[in-house]
Amino acid sequence: MTAPLLQVTDLRTYFFTDQGVARAVDGVSFSVTPGETVALVGESGCGKTVTSLSILGLVPDPPGRILDGSSIRLRGEELVGASEERLRRLRGNEVAMIFQEPMASLNPVFTVGEQISEPLRLHLGMSKRAARERAVALLNEVGIPEPAHRFDEYPHQLSGGMRQRVMVAIAIACEPALLIADEPTTALDVTIQAQILELLAQLREHRGMAVLLITHDLGVVAEVADRVVVMYAGQVAETGTATEVFGFPSHPYTEGLLASIPRADRSGERLRPIPGVVPAPNDWPAGCRFADRCRYAWERGAAEAPPLLELETGRGEERAARCWLVAEPARRHPPIVAETEQ
Amino acid sequence: MMTTRARIVLGLTVVAAACGRDYADGGAAAVGVETFCADVAPHVDAFMARMEQEHSVTDSARYGGTVVVASIGDMVDGMNHFVSSDYTASQNQQFVNLMSLIRYDASIQPQPYLAESWEVDDPTHPSTITFHLRRDVYWHDGVRTDANDVAFTYRVVTDPETAYPNAAFWDHYVGGAEGIEVVDSFTVRVRLSPHAEYLDPWTGVSIMPRHLLEGVPVSQLKQHPYGTQCPVGNGPFVFVEHRPQESWTFKTNPAFPTDLGGRPYVDRYVYRVIPEQATLLTDLLTENIDVYLAPRADQVPEIIRSEDLDLLRSVSRSYTLVAWNARRPQLADARVRRAMTLGTNRHEIVEAQLRGYGVVANSGVPPFHWAYDPTLADSVRYDPAEARRLLEEAGWIDRDGDGVRENAEGAPLAFTLKYNQGNQYRQDIAEIMQAQLGQIGVKVQPQVMEFGTMIAQLSGEERDFDATVVGWVTEFKLDDVDLFHSSRIDQPYAFSGTRNAQMDRLLDTLQLVVDRQAAIPLWKEYQQLLLREQPYTYFYFPERLNGINKRVRGVTMDARGEWVNIKDWWIPRDKRRAVQRAAAR
Amino acid sequence: MTRYLIRRTVLAIPLVLGIATLLFFVINLAPGDPTQLMINPSMRAEVVEQMRANFGLDQSLPVRYTKWLTAFVRGDLGYSYSYNQPVSQVIAQILPNTLLLSGAALVVAFVVGVLIGIVQAVRQYSLLDQALSFVALFFYSMPSFWLALMMILVFALFARNVWDWPIYFPPSGTRSVDFAQLGTWDQIVDRARYMVLPVTSLALVLAAGIARYTRSSMLEVVRQDYVRTARAKGLRERTVILKHALRNALIPVITLFGLYLPVLFSGTVFIEYVFGWPGMGKTIIDAISLRDYPVVMGTSVIFACMVVVGNLIADVLYAVVDPRIRYE
Amino acid sequence: MPLPVGGGDAVTAVAFPGARRRTRGGRLLSAVMPGAPQLLVGRFGAGLTALLVWVGLLAVLVLRWDRVWAAVRVSSGASLDDRVALVTLVAGLAAAWVWSFRDAGKVQELRWVGVSQWVLAGRAFSRNRLAVLGAVGILILYLVALLAPFLSPYDPSALGDLLTERLVPPSTAHLLGTDHFARDVLSRVLYGARISLSIGFVAIGISVTIGTLLGAVAGFFGSWVDTVLMRIVDMVIAFPQLVLLITVIALFQPSIFLIIAVLGLTQWTGTTRLVRGEVLSLREREFIQAAGALGFSRARIIFFHLVPNVLGPVIVAATLGIGNTIVLEASLSFLGLGVQPPTPSWGTMVADGRSLMLQAWWLSTFPGLAIVFTVLAFNLVGDGLRDALDPRLRR
């Protein structure tokens, strides 16, 4: 195994508000190796976005704060507590990010070209001319026709898919080692979604850049991710390779997520959404945070918070889940499959 | 005393000999209205430059500096005497930019000015006056002032189409061209029917330049650029600049006759408009201005307290009064009106409102005037008991115990007292009257009005008012015919609408008595009659108060006005602005 | 854009004419006329009648209106009764003063207001934010004439006479009396000195309002995704705020430009009065009390035109700042 | 008002307060000292207000017993002013007591999840210290205004001895000095509160009503109705307001009602534009279209569906407007066009006292400060409301 590009260890990002402390990210650990695509999966409110913002040092402070003891290492360099100036130099340069709303993520009052040129000039010290040439090339690379013409257009003159391509162009402008893509396709049509994912896959291949893909869309994950980190209530619920997690979900939450998406290979099944909602981050349950919604829940879950338990897969892969079921597998009843059809 | 006084005619001065000017085209009337200012300005500049050379000042101990006089209102009428009805503008015409034939001295005796002497055919029964003009007075563009200017001025002011605001001055004169005869270039003769104070109009009318304004239709004179944009006078100060609502700037006239004192001491005189009294006081205290005209009496302590400032007090010709509309049944009885006066503590109002800077008035005759009867000064004092007695005698008794008197028919003794917006003094009077008359059972309802609206109501045919607080400014020639004569009862100014045969007779006679000594007993009788009739409750003659910076020396302000000796004002060298500014460097 | 502006201008013509017409009848409703105000017993009724005739006031209202309107359409605003000058000339002498005063105040107000608003938004809910809010609102809550008088007392009177400050300002006027004798540079300094107090008094009140708008607009903008994008690019915080956020936050603030013009012009009335600054506001007020109808009409129409033009400028600025806006 | 759906990760923005401590023995304490139990559990705003009202009104009752008693006695010929003051006194005491008693006994809501936006806004507002300060200030102002007959030491319009008591600086006899009529400035400032507050309140009431109606109609009907109304708005905006004011005052007798009417009738344009804008966007929203589809009448849609939803911004505008109107009245007084004497409006007092700023600073300073702090209070509340009602600006 190669040295990880990004190593997140015991990340705790809390929000201190008048209504109490919201423990949005509460002890998350995972890593990304160079060239790898890792998917961060979970429902809204699970802390995925806060995790990614924490990596970039963009958590709004106040009220948010990364707690002492958390660690985010990029190529071994500690980012927690690093100077704002250092972080700023990393952003857009070493680590870039794409956001979910291409419509809202582009500044409406500047031309597309200017927005792409900005990081080039800032991080690479390019001249206006050089930046323009490079930006046009980038636009071309992300598949925008007539890039030289588009350079001078404003975001509102582009379609949604185009805008997301522009976002990608901005993100990859400085050839970052890590691209964080926060729900990059949620706001797009299905066909465009596929195109954008395809584009990301290509770029990753050509440039050897690692991608941290944040999504609630398991379909997307299955297509592109090497490894999956499932988050629930500010914690990692389950990790493993994509094949492992999809093939053998070991956390009931992952099970639930999988059961709630339509799958071509299981047509005719009834979709089963997970009951309830993610609890509020200032009000996590004391024991297992999923206990309220868990179909297997028993006393132990309510009383005792499960740690992230290593799973022996026998297939030589790292695998872990935060569930007492790992310790007491007998409690997993009845099997999912048996209940799906009537 | 106002008869002919011969004056030694001095020989022509160098100035007089040296100048004179023609317009190239020879005809004054040819000066077009559109280009008037542009045409006139070069002549004025050239003439003044020449005069400045010829009369350069070597002794700068007194000559030099700028004096700034400020007040709340602009002289909107400007220097065009034909259309002027505003006090400040008239003063500046008379004493600053233009000249009248004669002027009053401090004791209100006529003195020569532009006219160096005059004769009357018959001192007791004058029907012609012959004026001999000075020969050394030049319009600021270099043209000499002569008899034709006087004749022109006379014809215009007596022409009804001009709508000369003080046309009434000339009631007893023969108007138009027949009334005046140009005997020679420096002699004019006017014709009149004998009347009291017949010389007075000549102290008030400023002579205007014929060569510039003849040919302008008289009804168009008001709009002529002469008045506000480029007046060309012949007085001690030369017009420089007028910024509407902001300032008038004049500079010294080096060609002003040596006989009359020669050029003024100050180089420049600026009249500034500052509409806010609080600001005016600050301006005076910070030496931004030199003279603050007519501060409020309440501001006076601050002026007195300052080491740099002086307070100049002078008697004034204006008085404040409450006019009773005797057409109203409850105010028709003279006894009721007298009770109002008796029931109002006017002395206290003078003390409180004017801080004592004023005297209680009993008529429109100002205390400094020769016609004033000092024996009447304190004849009516605050006496609520007498006031109540008079009201009861007149049948006004509080019959229902509500504190307000009623007459036999049960109509309450109540009236509204109108006053105009924005005049604190009048508002105060209204409120004090309400309080004090309330104590003798009279219900007064003060009512504020917008000025224009109020005037329309007072002078309109309906006379839509019961009583009103207003003020008048008298001329030196007193004449109340328009106020109280029964023949004028439908005219705008007959606010009170009283009819009294004795009053009519007195007013008629007083207009025609030429001899002041003979007139004095009649005036006394008239003042006594006013005390009895009470068409007005006269309040007071306020003193004119002016705040002035001590660096301005030689200032005289009296009943004649604030600008009366402005050409003699001077500023010590080290106190001048330019000198101080240079020293600060 | 040009076509849009032309269309807007053409549409404004009936608006201005409508205002003028309304105004004409409204002010003529008020009792009294200019001649009645010259109350002087020496003035005979015949004289007054003659004056009325000279002014053309002896004609009926509709006749006068038609005359005024035809002259107005030809660009002739008539003669002032009280200034004894053509109205256009009066306005030409006075309008620059008002434009100077309100223009300077507008610039100062927007610069100061926007700056304060930015600081407040960046430090939302901090002590600084609350203190600035309080101070801004404090000035905003003052009647402008009172603020102006306080300024005079403090920075003219006390500064000079009591505290002996090296810098103090003249209480009133637009220039020194010996202005004409000064050199060019001194003239500029002199005029600036006279402008400090009135401009500050006028601008303080406006700035407070602008700061409030900028603050809320900025608060909204800094939460936008594109600001996060800008940060994610690694831009300096200053660049993020002053370039990416501010440009967007200014869009709603520009609306204020149009909205504030009428406020500004009526605000100048009080400032003009207190500081003896010869301007439009005071001219209108005086003209109404003197029943100088031509001046009231002329100045009011100019006023309306300035409001219309101001709104047009706001529209143009809108398009300049926000590329999404296109006028056809 | 239109409410956004909490989008994305709303953790940072939405408030979920936890349970509050139950107030034990609160009722007992509140019966003796209203506000105290709230203070004990840390609700300083509410607690202090209740306590302040209670103690303040009690103080008035005790210290000014003679006046209060005179107002109570039917035969004393008490004026309407006195009766209003009496009712205010009694009602204020009762309100403070009853509220505190009931509030103290209540078990606090455990969760605020799912509460209405108004409650959320209320909570956001109550966290804004400046705004709460403003609100308490306004409460005190209204109490002072209504209780003026009990509070003021002298008759506000009674002339004192003009020769000896004129322009007396602040002293123990006259806390804020006397004016040029030897009237007590404190009494006039207290009575002035009624005038200034009523002017602001009534004039804005008029203008907001007109503005909301016209704005809703213009926005809802659109097309030519909108065009015509908006052209009228443009015209009113470009029409020099002062010209109209002066002319109207010249036409009629200047009175407080005239001032209120004119101020009310000239200030509605802002509200109209605001409401129109809101309605234009609301009109396209589903629930209005649904209401239309259900066949509701237009009037019903406007009044029951549109207007309530634009109320938030309108309330904000109105609150800010009250402040502006009070300032405007003061400014008119400067031109001599405001409320006319002897009615003691703050504006008139400041304007009349200004020329004596150096000789008798207390004349214009105290009413001036009264204006500044009143307007400040309204503006703080208005600003706070705007922040509170706009979910985007909430903490």
Short mmCIF file of all heavy atoms in Angstrom, two decimals, chain A residues 283-310:
data_model
loop_
_atom_site.label_atom_id
_atom_site.label_comp_id
_atom_site.label_asym_id
_atom_site.label_seq_id
_atom_site.Cartn_x
_atom_site.Cartn_y
_atom_site.Cartn_z
N ASP A 283 -27.97 17.08 19.15
CA ASP A 283 -28.84 16.22 19.94
C ASP A 283 -28.63 14.76 19.56
O ASP A 283 -29.60 14.02 19.41
CB ASP A 283 -30.30 16.66 19.68
CG ASP A 283 -31.17 16.40 20.88
OD1 ASP A 283 -30.60 16.19 21.97
OD2 ASP A 283 -32.40 16.41 20.71
N TRP A 284 -27.39 14.39 19.35
CA TRP A 284 -27.15 12.99 19.00
C TRP A 284 -27.61 12.09 20.14
O TRP A 284 -27.41 12.42 21.31
CB TRP A 284 -25.66 12.71 18.77
CG TRP A 284 -24.94 13.46 17.67
CD1 TRP A 284 -23.72 14.01 17.80
CD2 TRP A 284 -25.34 13.65 16.33
NE1 TRP A 284 -23.32 14.56 16.61
CE2 TRP A 284 -24.32 14.36 15.68
CE3 TRP A 284 -26.48 13.32 15.58
CZ2 TRP A 284 -24.36 14.74 14.35
CZ3 TRP A 284 -26.53 13.69 14.26
CH2 TRP A 284 -25.49 14.39 13.66
N PRO A 285 -28.15 10.93 19.80
CA PRO A 285 -28.50 9.97 20.87
C PRO A 285 -27.22 9.52 21.59
O PRO A 285 -26.13 9.55 21.00
CB PRO A 285 -29.13 8.81 20.11
CG PRO A 285 -29.50 9.34 18.77
CD PRO A 285 -28.54 10.45 18.48
N ALA A 286 -27.41 9.12 22.81
CA ALA A 286 -26.24 8.78 23.62
C ALA A 286 -25.57 7.49 23.15
O ALA A 286 -24.34 7.42 23.04
CB ALA A 286 -26.64 8.64 25.08
N GLY A 287 -26.35 6.51 22.85
CA GLY A 287 -25.77 5.23 22.44
C GLY A 287 -25.46 5.22 20.97
O GLY A 287 -24.87 6.15 20.43
N CYS A 288 -25.88 4.13 20.31
CA CYS A 288 -25.71 4.06 18.87
C CYS A 288 -26.58 5.13 18.24
O CYS A 288 -27.76 5.23 18.53
CB CYS A 288 -26.11 2.69 18.34
SG CYS A 288 -26.03 2.61 16.53
N ARG A 289 -25.98 5.93 17.39
CA ARG A 289 -26.72 7.07 16.85
C ARG A 289 -27.78 6.63 15.85
O ARG A 289 -28.67 7.39 15.51
CB ARG A 289 -25.75 8.06 16.20
CG ARG A 289 -24.86 8.66 17.26
CD ARG A 289 -23.90 9.65 16.71
NE ARG A 289 -23.07 10.12 17.82
CZ ARG A 289 -22.07 10.96 17.68
NH1 ARG A 289 -21.76 11.43 16.49
NH2 ARG A 289 -21.37 11.33 18.72
N PHE A 290 -27.66 5.41 15.37
CA PHE A 290 -28.63 4.94 14.39
C PHE A 290 -29.74 4.14 15.05
O PHE A 290 -30.71 3.76 14.41
CB PHE A 290 -27.90 4.09 13.33
CG PHE A 290 -28.74 3.76 12.14
CD1 PHE A 290 -29.25 4.75 11.32
CD2 PHE A 290 -29.04 2.43 11.85
CE1 PHE A 290 -30.04 4.44 10.23
CE2 PHE A 290 -29.83 2.11 10.75
CZ PHE A 290 -30.33 3.12 9.93
N ALA A 291 -29.57 3.95 16.36
CA ALA A 291 -30.48 3.04 17.07
C ALA A 291 -31.96 3.33 16.81
O ALA A 291 -32.74 2.42 16.55
CB ALA A 291 -30.18 3.10 18.56
N ASP A 292 -32.33 4.60 16.82
CA ASP A 292 -33.74 4.96 16.65
C ASP A 292 -34.31 4.47 15.32
O ASP A 292 -35.51 4.23 15.21
CB ASP A 292 -33.88 6.50 16.66
CG ASP A 292 -33.81 7.01 18.08
OD1 ASP A 292 -33.78 6.16 18.99
OD2 ASP A 292 -33.77 8.24 18.26
N ARG A 293 -33.47 4.38 14.33
CA ARG A 293 -33.98 4.05 13.00
C ARG A 293 -33.61 2.61 12.60
O ARG A 293 -33.96 2.16 11.51
CB ARG A 293 -33.39 5.02 11.98
CG ARG A 293 -33.67 6.47 12.31
CD ARG A 293 -32.89 7.41 11.44
NE ARG A 293 -33.39 7.45 10.07
CZ ARG A 293 -32.76 8.05 9.07
NH1 ARG A 293 -31.59 8.65 9.30
NH2 ARG A 293 -33.25 8.03 7.86
N CYS A 294 -32.90 1.95 13.49
CA CYS A 294 -32.34 0.65 13.12
C CYS A 294 -33.38 -0.45 13.28
O CYS A 294 -34.09 -0.53 14.28
CB CYS A 294 -31.13 0.35 14.00
SG CYS A 294 -30.32 -1.20 13.59
N ARG A 295 -33.49 -1.29 12.27
CA ARG A 295 -34.49 -2.34 12.36
C ARG A 295 -34.02 -3.48 13.26
O ARG A 295 -34.80 -4.34 13.65
CB ARG A 295 -34.84 -2.85 10.96
CG ARG A 295 -33.65 -3.20 10.11
CD ARG A 295 -34.06 -3.20 8.66
NE ARG A 295 -34.96 -4.30 8.38
CZ ARG A 295 -34.54 -5.47 7.90
NH1 ARG A 295 -33.27 -5.68 7.66
NH2 ARG A 295 -35.41 -6.43 7.65
N TYR A 296 -32.70 -3.48 13.55
CA TYR A 296 -32.22 -4.55 14.43
C TYR A 296 -32.04 -4.08 15.85
O TYR A 296 -31.60 -4.83 16.70
CB TYR A 296 -30.85 -5.06 13.95
CG TYR A 296 -30.81 -5.41 12.49
CD1 TYR A 296 -30.11 -4.62 11.60
CD2 TYR A 296 -31.47 -6.56 12.03
CE1 TYR A 296 -30.07 -4.94 10.27
CE2 TYR A 296 -31.43 -6.87 10.69
CZ TYR A 296 -30.73 -6.07 9.80
OH TYR A 296 -30.69 -6.38 8.49
N ALA A 297 -32.32 -2.84 16.09
CA ALA A 297 -31.93 -2.24 17.37
C ALA A 297 -32.32 -3.08 18.58
O ALA A 297 -33.42 -3.62 18.63
CB ALA A 297 -32.56 -0.86 17.48
N TRP A 298 -31.38 -3.26 19.46
CA TRP A 298 -31.69 -3.86 20.75
C TRP A 298 -31.07 -3.02 21.85
O TRP A 298 -30.50 -1.97 21.57
CB TRP A 298 -31.27 -5.32 20.78
CG TRP A 298 -29.78 -5.60 20.82
CD1 TRP A 298 -29.08 -5.99 21.92
CD2 TRP A 298 -28.85 -5.53 19.76
NE1 TRP A 298 -27.78 -6.17 21.62
CE2 TRP A 298 -27.60 -5.89 20.27
CE3 TRP A 298 -28.96 -5.21 18.39
CZ2 TRP A 298 -26.46 -5.93 19.50
CZ3 TRP A 298 -27.82 -5.27 17.64
CH2 TRP A 298 -26.57 -5.61 18.17
N GLU A 299 -31.18 -3.47 23.11
CA GLU A 299 -30.83 -2.62 24.24
C GLU A 299 -29.41 -2.08 24.15
O GLU A 299 -29.12 -0.95 24.51
CB GLU A 299 -30.97 -3.36 25.58
CG GLU A 299 -32.25 -4.15 25.73
CD GLU A 299 -32.20 -5.46 24.95
OE1 GLU A 299 -31.23 -6.22 25.15
OE2 GLU A 299 -33.13 -5.70 24.14
N ARG A 300 -28.52 -2.91 23.67
CA ARG A 300 -27.12 -2.52 23.69
C ARG A 300 -26.90 -1.22 22.90
O ARG A 300 -26.13 -0.36 23.33
CB ARG A 300 -26.28 -3.64 23.09
CG ARG A 300 -24.80 -3.42 23.36
CD ARG A 300 -23.98 -4.59 22.92
NE ARG A 300 -22.58 -4.36 23.21
CZ ARG A 300 -21.62 -5.20 22.86
NH1 ARG A 300 -21.92 -6.33 22.22
NH2 ARG A 300 -20.37 -4.94 23.15
N GLY A 301 -27.60 -1.12 21.80
CA GLY A 301 -27.46 0.08 20.96
C GLY A 301 -27.85 1.34 21.70
O GLY A 301 -27.19 2.36 21.61
N ALA A 302 -28.95 1.26 22.44
CA ALA A 302 -29.42 2.45 23.14
C ALA A 302 -28.48 2.84 24.27
O ALA A 302 -28.33 4.01 24.60
CB ALA A 302 -30.84 2.22 23.68
N ALA A 303 -27.85 1.86 24.85
CA ALA A 303 -27.06 2.11 26.05
C ALA A 303 -25.62 2.46 25.73
O ALA A 303 -25.01 3.30 26.38
CB ALA A 303 -27.10 0.87 26.95
N GLU A 304 -25.07 1.87 24.71
CA GLU A 304 -23.64 1.91 24.54
C GLU A 304 -23.34 2.30 23.10
O GLU A 304 -23.90 1.73 22.17
CB GLU A 304 -23.09 0.49 24.79
CG GLU A 304 -21.79 0.44 25.49
CD GLU A 304 -21.40 -1.04 25.72
OE1 GLU A 304 -22.32 -1.86 25.94
OE2 GLU A 304 -20.23 -1.36 25.61
N ALA A 305 -22.46 3.26 22.91
CA ALA A 305 -22.13 3.67 21.56
C ALA A 305 -21.11 2.69 20.98
O ALA A 305 -20.07 2.45 21.61
CB ALA A 305 -21.55 5.07 21.57
N PRO A 306 -21.39 2.14 19.85
CA PRO A 306 -20.44 1.18 19.30
C PRO A 306 -19.23 1.88 18.72
O PRO A 306 -19.35 2.96 18.16
CB PRO A 306 -21.24 0.51 18.17
CG PRO A 306 -22.28 1.50 17.79
CD PRO A 306 -22.56 2.33 18.99
N PRO A 307 -18.04 1.30 18.86
CA PRO A 307 -16.87 1.83 18.18
C PRO A 307 -16.84 1.34 16.74
O PRO A 307 -17.69 0.54 16.35
CB PRO A 307 -15.71 1.25 18.98
CG PRO A 307 -16.24 -0.05 19.49
CD PRO A 307 -17.74 0.09 19.63
N LEU A 308 -15.90 1.85 15.98
CA LEU A 308 -15.75 1.36 14.62
C LEU A 308 -15.05 0.00 14.71
O LEU A 308 -13.89 -0.09 15.14
CB LEU A 308 -14.89 2.35 13.82
CG LEU A 308 -14.94 2.24 12.31
CD1 LEU A 308 -16.36 2.42 11.79
CD2 LEU A 308 -14.03 3.28 11.68
N LEU A 309 -15.76 -1.04 14.35
CA LEU A 309 -15.23 -2.39 14.57
C LEU A 309 -14.68 -2.95 13.28
O LEU A 309 -15.32 -2.90 12.23
CB LEU A 309 -16.34 -3.31 15.10
CG LEU A 309 -16.92 -2.89 16.46
CD1 LEU A 309 -18.17 -3.67 16.76
CD2 LEU A 309 -15.87 -3.08 17.55
N GLU A 310 -13.46 -3.45 13.37
CA GLU A 310 -12.83 -4.05 12.20
C GLU A 310 -13.59 -5.30 11.79
O GLU A 310 -14.08 -6.05 12.63
CB GLU A 310 -11.39 -4.45 12.53
CG GLU A 310 -10.48 -3.29 12.85
CD GLU A 310 -9.92 -2.65 11.59
OE1 GLU A 310 -9.74 -3.37 10.59
OE2 GLU A 310 -9.70 -1.41 11.62
#
